[in-house]
Amino acid sequence: MTKSKVYFTKDISSEGLQKIYDKLGVELKGKVAVKLSTGEPGGHNFLNPQMIKPLVNKLNGTIVECNTAYQGKRNTTEAHWQTFKDHGFYDIAPCDIMDEEGDMPIPVANAIQIKENYVGSHLKNYNSMLVLSHFKGHMMGGFGGALKNISIGIASSRGKIHIHTAGKSTNFNDAFTCVQDEFLESMADADTSVINFLGKENMAYINIANNLSIDCDCDSNPTPPEMADIGIFASVDPVAVDQACVDAVYNSHDKGKASLIKRMEDRHGIHTVEAAAEHGLGLREYELINID
């Protein structure tokens, strides 16, 4: 049976991050976007800028984000730029709010729910992308990793609502009335559009499984983590890297995993992985390669 390779290290540090990227054996060419979450002010679990700085600089990468759709301190370009600065990302590398000048539609091949995805218009300025994700729980998705970072993360403000409502509305209040599996399938649709737009060969994925709250970095007051950090996972397969992180939570001997597992199961989070695999974005079967 064909399996994707997922690399793993317990070394959550700048050195561990660079080492695991090198193991991927990929060369991200041209203008490189590094997609991460800048984190909602008030929260504190977002990726440490100083830890990621050496790898981002090695790639000559630009840190990219899009504005949020909910009320907070990242829902306008002005407020979001302040968050870039306050959270330390502005000081380590060039930064770009990709929907600062609006969005653009890109098509979804073989759509399950949404036929087009609205992404930050600056996406067209990049040739390749490192999807650098903080793996943790999520209020609506069950968990957030590479697949959420590509879908919700690269969608513009209205694109986020479009995904949350399975294409039925651009009113954020409607996002909370969407059928759950339709929302998860819409994230997989959005993943498909972005990966097809950039090209599979031009993307790589790193998930850092630390500060494992049941809540996302989009939460200004996240629940404190109840389980210990796990490590860093990397792959050229976004399906496999998210599946490996989910499996690592289940397989952990840490009793604190119970709340995160409950969050994932309550939201049927694994269905995003299932739908992305159905789209052919990757494999759920993987070989975990420990590089320690």
Side-chain angles (χ1 to χ4, degrees):
M1 179 183 293
T2 302
K3 296 182 179 181
S4 291
K5 292 181 179 179
V6 177
Y7 297 92
F8 172 75
T9 179
K10 291 182 180 179
D11 182 9
I12 303 177
S13 68
S14 293
E15 294 74 22
L17 191 56
Q18 292 182 83
K19 183 178 179 182
I20 204 166
Y21 174 80
D22 290 341
K23 283 291 184 180
L24 288 175
V26 299
E27 181 184 356
L28 296 177
K29 299 178 180 179
K31 189 171 184 181
V32 180
V34 179
K35 175 62 187 73
L36 50 72
S37 171
T38 48
E40 189 65 23
H44 45 267
N45 294 328
F46 54 85
L47 297 178
N48 184 324
Q50 293 305 315
M51 182 180 74
I52 69 172
K53 177 181 177 179
L55 178 57
V56 175
N57 292 167
K58 176 180 178 178
L59 298 174
N60 291 317
T62 299
I63 294 172
V64 303
E65 255 279 43
C66 285
N67 291 324
T68 62
Y70 54 83
Q71 292 298 315
K73 296 183 178 178
R74 296 186 298 153
N75 64 329
T76 68
T77 295
E78 181 180 8
H80 202 167
W81 273 123
Q82 190 61 50
T83 298
F84 266 99
K85 295 173 182 177
D86 291 345
H87 286 181
F89 295 106
Y90 192 82
D91 293 332
I92 68 165
C95 299
D96 182 12
I97 297 175
M98 291 195 293
D99 61 339
E100 182 171 8
E101 298 177 293
D103 61 22
M104 64 181 186
I106 55 176
V108 176
N110 302 311
I112 303 173
Q113 295 293 339
I114 60 173
K115 294 182 179 179
E116 62 182 1
N117 180 29
Y118 302 108
V119 300
S121 63
H122 293 179
L123 180 63
K124 65 181 181 294
N125 298 333
Y126 297 93
N127 305 108
S128 58
M129 178 177 288
L130 173 64
V131 181
L132 184 56
S133 309
H134 173 212
F135 183 86
K136 68 289 176 190
H138 189 270
M139 180 179 68
M140 293 189 70
F143 68 86
L147 294 170
K148 177 186 173 293
N149 201 2
I150 305 165
S151 58
I152 297 295
I154 292 174
S156 65
S157 290
R158 74 162 176 154
K160 288 174 170 61
I161 301 170
H162 186 69
I163 294 168
H164 271 285
T165 62
K168 297 178 178 65
S169 176
T170 55
N171 183 337
F172 186 75
N173 290 330
D174 295 331
F176 300 98
T177 63
C178 181
V179 174
Q180 179 66 5
D181 278 4
E182 291 182 0
F183 160 55
L184 301 175
E185 290 161 2
S186 297
M187 282 205 289
D189 283 342
D191 290 324
T192 301
S193 70
V194 172
I195 291 171
N196 286 344
F197 183 84
L198 285 173
K200 281 187 176 182
E201 70 280 5
N202 297 317
M203 299 185 72
Y205 310 90
I206 298 178
N207 284 0
I208 301 178
N210 70 340
N211 297 320
L212 288 156
S213 171
I214 63 171
D215 295 318
C216 181
D217 297 341
C218 59
D219 193 320
S220 62
N221 186 29
T223 301
E226 295 180 35
M227 70 178 296
D229 297 348
I230 297 174
I232 304 177
F233 299 77
S235 183
V236 293
D237 181 336
V239 175
V241 77
D242 274 6
Q243 183 70 60
C245 288
V246 170
D247 290 345
V249 172
Y250 276 95
N251 294 333
S252 171
H253 297 297
D254 189 331
K255 292 181 180 179
K257 68 183 181 181
S259 61
L260 181 52
I261 290 174
K262 184 177 187 302
R263 172 58 57 90
M264 293 192 295
E265 292 182 350
D266 284 351
R267 305 300 191 271
H268 196 203
I270 198 63
H271 190 54
T272 306
V273 177
E274 294 171 342
E278 182 182 337
H279 266 299
L281 301 184
L283 302 173
R284 297 182 67 189
E285 297 77 24
Y286 60 90
E287 175 189 3
L288 189 65
I289 303 169
N290 193 326
I291 67 170
D292 291 333

